[in-house]
Amino acid sequence: MIERGGNPAGYDDSSRQEAPRRIPGWLARALPDTGPQRALVMSSFVNRVGTGMFLATSALYFTVIVGIPARRVGTGLSLAGLAALLGSVPAGTLADRVGPRTVQLVTLAVQTVTMALFVVVHSWWAFTVVAAFDYVADAANNAARGAMIGRVGGERPALFRAKLRTFVSVAVVAGTLLAAVAIQIGTRGAYVTVILVNAVSYVVCALLLLRVPNFTPLPRPEGARRFAALADRPYAAFAVLNGLINLQAVVVTLLIPLWIASRTHIPHWAAAAVFGLNFVLGTALMQPVGRRIETTEQGGKALRVAGVAIAVGCAVLAGSGSGPRWSETLVLFAGAAVLCAAGVWVTAAGFSLSFGLAPAHAQGQYQGLTLLGLDAAGAVGPALLTALVLGLGGPGWIVLAVGFAAAGLAGPVVTRWAERTRPADVAVGGAAPEPA
């Protein structure tokens, strides 16, 4: 079982008091307390630096350098994304049965190979096949990683994940900035270097994971279903609701830039400024908010707060499509600021509910179902949101606001339903299960 205090069984925590003397005080406070938690943070940080580099350069590499038409790249990635939808729940179930670290190490090995293969891809079919394997491995890795966080995080996995999210966000930005160098150089060699560095990052990530305990799988209680998550209707309802509210990220990263470019007179640099605002608010607020949203009850209320806040932000953005440029810009940033801040509550609520409502023995499977909800919404959401807002203009933002408000208001209702139907081995409310 999960050990109290977040210290996995058998881990020597004697060095914990020395950490503040080896690293700056502010960093010591931001980092998790235990060695396994810090190892997982370091592993994820390295991984996401490489990911940030690759994501920032991949579209240009495959279109400009490899020569695959942009639309065909998009089609290939869509097909890869559909394949990944099939991987989350089975991979999470496997992580529960053989241990999350084992599944992560295998998937990281697969991603090392797929990333290296991108260097020799020259046709659309080869690109699509490699991308599909890469996406499936990534989905499997994320599901196993969720199970790992549940074990390493001790009695406060949601707070640990909030801390982890802060460092991951910084890592992606760092990777993006490094990618800008390759984009500026613009040669095939520069792009290939980025891809190979990302492949190496998976190897380093795996080596750092070896510092995390290889947790023994928890036994499935007598009478529990093998694929309990798929039959858990309240949790499935949460997964769908969580996916819908997380479309807030699509609004910030896709819809607002397209709105600026096609429906306003706002200078295009404002789109980059919104990205920066989203990063700053997310980094600054994630841990303070995460400390206040750890139980399932708090998570349900946070979904309501987030949904209403997103609705307010969308309603404000509806007014950014008319008037002089200066007023359009001010209104846009006001609405974007509300949306970016609301995203922190969305994330914290998802963390607390996904861990708090899942049985300890099936964390991987349940985290896989949560990812399935996110991926499904991410697959259909961009097209629907773009058609709605860019097609209708201001009224489209209002319709979107109503939708987010309704989803948010459903948060506490779905949470209470899920709490009433939890099996006996689920510690609803955020408390850790008793050690075995």
Side-chain angles (χ1 to χ4, degrees):
M1 280 289 184
I2 300 173
E3 295 293 321
R4 292 284 184 183
N7 186 21
Y11 169 68
D12 180 6
D13 201 27
S14 61
S15 63
R16 180 174 170 180
Q17 300 301 321
E18 299 178 10
R21 292 198 296 268
R22 295 198 302 265
I23 58 178
W26 64 269
L27 183 56
R29 289 189 295 272
L31 282 168
D33 294 330
T34 68
Q37 290 183 354
R38 291 190 177 189
L40 189 54
V41 167
M42 292 170 61
S43 175
S44 299
F45 185 89
V46 171
N47 189 341
R48 296 308 178 185
V49 169
T51 299
M53 294 175 64
F54 179 70
L55 291 179
T57 57
S58 59
L60 289 174
Y61 171 73
F62 291 118
T63 55
V64 177
I65 304 299
V66 179
I68 302 173
R71 288 188 178 182
R72 302 202 75 189
V73 169
T75 301
L77 293 178
S78 295
L79 293 173
L82 290 175
L85 292 178
L86 304 176
S88 297
V89 175
T93 304
L94 184 62
D96 294 327
R97 300 278 61 85
V98 303
R101 193 181 76 171
T102 300
V103 174
Q104 280 196 279
L105 292 175
V106 171
T107 56
L108 286 169
V110 173
Q111 288 188 279
T112 301
V113 174
T114 56
M115 197 55 52
L117 286 176
F118 278 135
V119 173
V120 296
V121 160
H122 297 292
S123 69
W124 178 79
W125 284 107
F127 159 73
T128 302
V129 170
V130 174
F133 277 100
D134 186 70
Y135 273 42
V136 170
D138 186 61
N141 183 274
N142 286 331
R145 188 163 153 291
M148 176 72 84
I149 291 169
R151 300 296 295 272
V152 173
E155 62 182 9
R156 306 182 76 182
L159 177 59
F160 170 54
R161 191 159 194 170
K163 290 184 176 185
L164 183 61
R165 178 64 176 262
T166 301
F167 285 93
V168 163
S169 298
V170 174
V172 171
V173 172
T176 302
L177 293 176
L178 291 172
V181 177
I183 294 173
Q184 181 63 30
I185 296 173
T187 63
R188 177 181 176 83
Y191 283 100
V192 167
T193 298
V194 166
I195 294 173
L196 294 179
V197 167
N198 190 27
V200 172
S201 77
Y202 292 127
V203 176
V204 177
C205 176
L207 292 174
L208 289 169
L209 272 181
L210 295 177
R211 300 176 59 187
V212 181
N214 188 20
F215 293 101
T216 304
L218 301 177
R220 186 168 69 243
E222 184 177 352
R225 297 186 181 187
R226 183 179 297 274
F227 291 99
L230 298 178
D232 193 334
R233 289 182 295 173
Y235 195 94
F238 153 69
V240 171
L241 192 65
N242 187 53
L244 292 174
I245 294 183
N246 268 276
L247 288 176
Q248 169 270 347
V250 175
V251 176
V252 173
T253 60
L254 176 66
L255 201 52
I256 288 179
L258 292 177
W259 173 257
I260 290 172
S262 62
R263 283 280 194 162
T264 74
H265 302 98
I266 299 171
H268 291 183
W269 57 259
V274 169
F275 277 98
L277 180 64
N278 189 47
F279 168 73
V280 170
L281 289 178
T283 303
L285 297 177
M286 191 69 255
Q287 292 195 41
V289 172
R291 288 190 177 93
R292 291 168 173 79
I293 306 173
E294 294 191 73
T295 68
T296 53
E297 181 182 4
Q298 292 167 342
K301 291 179 180 178
L303 283 182
R304 180 174 60 199
V305 171
V308 172
I310 296 169
V312 171
C314 289
V316 172
L317 287 170
S320 65
S322 61
R325 176 179 293 187
W326 66 268
S327 66
E328 282 187 332
T329 304
L330 287 178
V331 171
L332 178 114
F333 276 111
V338 175
L339 278 167
C340 293
V344 178
W345 269 260
V346 171
T347 301
F351 290 166
S352 64
L353 290 168
S354 65
F355 288 118
L357 296 175
H361 74 277
Q363 279 285 343
Q365 184 180 133
Y366 275 75
Q367 297 307 316
L369 182 57
T370 303
L371 289 171
L372 179 60
L374 292 171
D375 290 341
V380 300
L384 292 177
L385 267 58
T386 301
L388 177 65
V389 172
L390 299 187
L392 298 179
W397 281 113
I398 300 302
V399 173
L400 194 58
V402 172
F404 275 116
L409 293 173
V413 177
V414 171
T415 299
R416 287 193 294 270
W417 178 27
E419 288 174 337
R420 289 194 303 269
T421 57
R422 292 307 84 193
D425 71 322
V426 181
V428 173
E434 290 297 330

